[in-house]
Amino acid sequence: MTTRIWTAALAVIGDEILSGRTQDKNVAQIAAWLNVQGIRLAEVRIVPDTTEAIVEAVNALRARNDYLFTTGGIGPTHDDITVDAIAAALGVAVEFHPQAVAVLERYYETRGGLSEARKRMARVPAGASLIENRMSGAPGIKIGNVFIMAGVPHITAGMLDALTGTLEGGLPVLSRTIGCWVGESEVADLLRSAEKAHPGVAIGSYPFFRDGRTGANFVVRATEAELLDTCIVDLTTALTAAGRDVVAGGI
Amino acid sequence: MTTRIWTAALAVIGDEILSGRTQDKNVAQIAAWLNVQGIRLAEVRIVPDTTEAIVEAVNALRARNDYLFTTGGIGPTHDDITVDAIAAALGVAVEFHPQAVAVLERYYETRGGLSEARKRMARVPAGASLIENRMSGAPGIKIGNVFIMAGVPHITAGMLDALTGTLEGGLPVLSRTIGCWVGESEVADLLRSAEKAHPGVAIGSYPFFRDGRTGANFVVRATEAELLDTCIVDLTTALTAAGRDVVAGGI
């Protein structure tokens, strides 16, 4: 049985990531969330806060993936140009979303009122709907297959939570990990053989150096649980036969 | 005086980043290092361990940037396909680099010898030179304007160290930060005016929520120190005049 694979791309919008000032957390967070929805994160681009770069990335990525997520650039300040750039990419106008205005009016009622700057956060590409923001006022935005999310990770987390279970996906990719205190080069042939012997699984080898010792974790991924389990058993047997102590769950 | 801007792109190669299993550290590390070299990180792509994806990213990014860095996929195992994919992108063969073989022979002399799997790490696109690896055996690779680096962050750090001062760049981008305990929307107009009044500076606004309070840091970037200082003074004056306490250096 061949199952359709659903893919998503992510465009991280922000000079602060490209300057090295801010450590991105959204790639890992969105990747893990997508996986639970049965959607694979296929590619990521990190682009600066310029219309040209955002338009290019959005149009390339939305065309060849089922979903495109963006993070960053939806706040109230002059460097927040994501909504305008995505509207330009889609060839639509920017308009105030009445429901977003109402949300912001309510949110800022006890916080000094809805100023012009704050009202900017109710601007959306024409035809968009909203993604609930459970953490702060300004909502996320959905238009077509594009999901426009916040840059601040805990706000993005709340938006992902609001989207959980609403996106069509396929089978989640399952994974199991085993580890050995071994240089990965010593078991390279064995890993290659194990992957070849189990079509449908992918084995990743991730070396590390810890407490003065060399080790590696081997991550086996598949969409079928039985296939995954068989491969883990066979790989464990092969490593043990080669004289290696295998740590279930990884090191 | 107009100064040429030197740009670099980064291709992060690795299913482990796209699956959410591993938190990338190389984007921030390489961005900060490049900035000191007077080179701006202009774009990043994170791609899976497939030849097609690597070839596409490498050819798009190397053509429109002065430099392209890649991280990941240069180890000894079957999922390490970076060298082959980059050779394919460049249209050159893959060959053993004699000096890399010698380095690996020496490194593995006391570590069980140079097996076939380990020798794979001496394979390079034809015509490449090596980047010293001060942390472990296998070297990085330079071919044309492409710099092929390790995926493990502390090994990448050693390779960057070996490259320090060897790449032509322009003026480093300087930055200074000030912070306020304020919602960024309350000072959005003021920030926009400050950026407009100082051509050549970019002001980024980075809100946060900490200890139950809302704050924002304002990062001013420019290549000229005097321009940067003037903008910081003017912005501080404007914020103070608006009744805000300004924290030099950011919060």
Side-chain angles (χ1 to χ4, degrees):
Chain A
M1 187 188 72
T2 308
T3 314
R4 182 183 163 199
I5 293 172
W6 295 74
T7 68
L10 169 61
V12 174
I13 297 164
D15 289 347
E16 71 278 20
I17 309 292
L18 290 172
S19 73
R21 179 184 179 274
T22 302
Q23 167 67 56
D24 170 77
K25 302 275 177 64
N26 282 321
V27 174
Q29 159 170 276
I30 291 176
W33 179 86
L34 282 169
N35 201 32
V36 176
Q37 317 304 310
I39 300 162
R40 203 165 299 183
L41 182 58
E43 48 185 328
V44 177
R45 295 192 189 176
I46 309 177
V47 299
D49 297 328
T50 68
T51 302
E52 190 188 358
I54 298 171
V55 167
E56 183 197 315
V58 164
N59 280 338
L61 297 176
R62 74 187 173 100
R64 65 184 189 189
N65 290 281
D66 295 302
Y67 305 104
L68 168 62
F69 286 72
T70 74
T71 58
I74 62 168
T77 55
H78 64 283
D79 54 341
D80 293 306
I81 63 167
T82 296
V83 166
D84 296 84
I86 291 179
L90 302 179
V92 301
V94 173
E95 60 186 24
F96 283 100
H97 192 294
Q99 194 189 333
V101 174
V103 165
L104 290 169
E105 270 173 352
R106 205 161 48 239
Y107 183 79
Y108 284 112
E109 198 172 9
T110 56
R111 294 175 174 87
L114 185 58
S115 62
E116 278 309 303
R118 287 168 169 174
K119 201 176 164 192
R120 263 176 61 84
M121 295 187 283
R123 296 166 74 249
V124 302
S129 56
L130 303 181
I131 302 168
E132 189 188 343
N133 173 354
R134 298 175 182 185
M135 313 304 285
S136 56
I141 300 163
K142 173 187 182 310
I143 178 155
N145 68 340
V146 183
F147 295 76
I148 305 170
M149 318 284 279
V152 178
H154 82 272
I155 300 180
T156 310
M159 292 178 179
L160 291 173
D161 196 38
L163 286 174
T164 295
T166 67
L167 272 61
E168 188 169 2
L171 294 174
V173 177
L174 308 173
S175 76
R176 285 182 61 184
T177 302
I178 57 178
C180 287
W181 289 104
V182 65
E184 59 171 357
S185 61
E186 297 175 50
V187 295
D189 292 342
L190 193 155
L191 294 172
R192 185 189 305 270
S193 303
E195 189 178 80
K196 270 204 183 138
H198 299 88
V201 310
I203 304 179
S205 172
Y206 305 112
F208 60 82
F209 186 74
R210 205 182 298 161
D211 304 331
R213 297 167 72 195
T214 297
N217 283 310
F218 310 117
V219 179
V220 182
R221 293 191 188 88
T223 51
E224 290 174 47
E226 204 176 329
L227 182 60
L228 182 65
D229 291 345
T230 307
C231 182
I232 283 281
V233 168
D234 290 356
L235 185 56
T236 302
T237 304
L239 286 164
T240 307
R244 307 298 174 180
D245 288 329
V246 176
V247 181
I251 297 167
Chain B
M1 188 187 73
T2 308
T3 314
R4 182 180 163 202
I5 293 172
W6 295 74
T7 69
L10 169 62
V12 174
I13 297 164
D15 288 347
E16 73 277 21
I17 309 290
L18 289 173
S19 73
R21 178 184 179 275
T22 302
Q23 168 66 55
D24 170 76
K25 303 274 178 66
N26 281 322
V27 173
Q29 160 170 274
I30 291 176
W33 179 85
L34 282 169
N35 200 33
V36 176
Q37 316 304 310
I39 300 162
R40 203 165 298 183
L41 182 58
E43 48 184 329
V44 176
R45 295 192 189 177
I46 309 177
V47 299
D49 297 328
T50 68
T51 302
E52 190 188 359
I54 299 170
V55 167
E56 183 197 316
V58 164
N59 279 338
L61 296 176
R62 73 187 173 100
R64 65 182 189 190
N65 290 281
D66 296 301
Y67 306 104
L68 168 62
F69 286 74
T70 73
T71 58
I74 62 169
T77 56
H78 64 283
D79 54 340
D80 293 307
I81 63 167
T82 295
V83 166
D84 296 83
I86 291 178
L90 302 179
V92 302
V94 173
E95 62 186 23
F96 284 101
H97 192 293
Q99 193 189 333
V101 175
V103 165
L104 290 170
E105 269 171 353
R106 203 161 52 239
Y107 183 79
Y108 284 113
E109 200 170 12
T110 57
R111 294 176 174 87
L114 186 58
S115 62
E116 278 309 304
R118 288 167 169 175
K119 202 178 164 190
R120 264 176 60 82
M121 294 187 284
R123 297 166 73 248
V124 303
S129 57
L130 304 181
I131 302 167
E132 189 188 345
N133 173 355
R134 298 176 181 182
M135 313 304 285
S136 57
I141 300 162
K142 174 187 182 312
I143 178 155
N145 67 339
V146 183
F147 295 77
I148 305 171
M149 318 284 280
V152 178
H154 81 273
I155 300 180
T156 309
M159 293 179 178
L160 290 174
D161 197 38
L163 286 175
T164 295
T166 67
L167 272 61
E168 188 170 2
L171 294 174
V173 177
L174 308 174
S175 76
R176 285 181 63 184
T177 302
I178 57 178
C180 288
W181 289 105
V182 66
E184 60 171 355
S185 60
E186 297 175 50
V187 295
D189 292 341
L190 191 157
L191 294 171
R192 184 189 306 269
S193 303
E195 190 178 81
K196 270 204 184 139
H198 298 89
V201 309
I203 304 179
S205 172
Y206 305 112
F208 59 82
F209 186 75
R210 205 183 296 161
D211 304 331
R213 296 167 73 195
T214 297
N217 283 308
F218 310 117
V219 180
V220 182
R221 294 191 186 87
T223 52
E224 290 174 48
E226 202 176 331
L227 183 59
L228 183 64
D229 292 344
T230 306
C231 182
I232 282 282
V233 168
D234 290 355
L235 185 56
T236 302
T237 304
L239 287 164
T240 306
R244 309 295 172 182
D245 288 330
V246 176
V247 182
I251 298 169

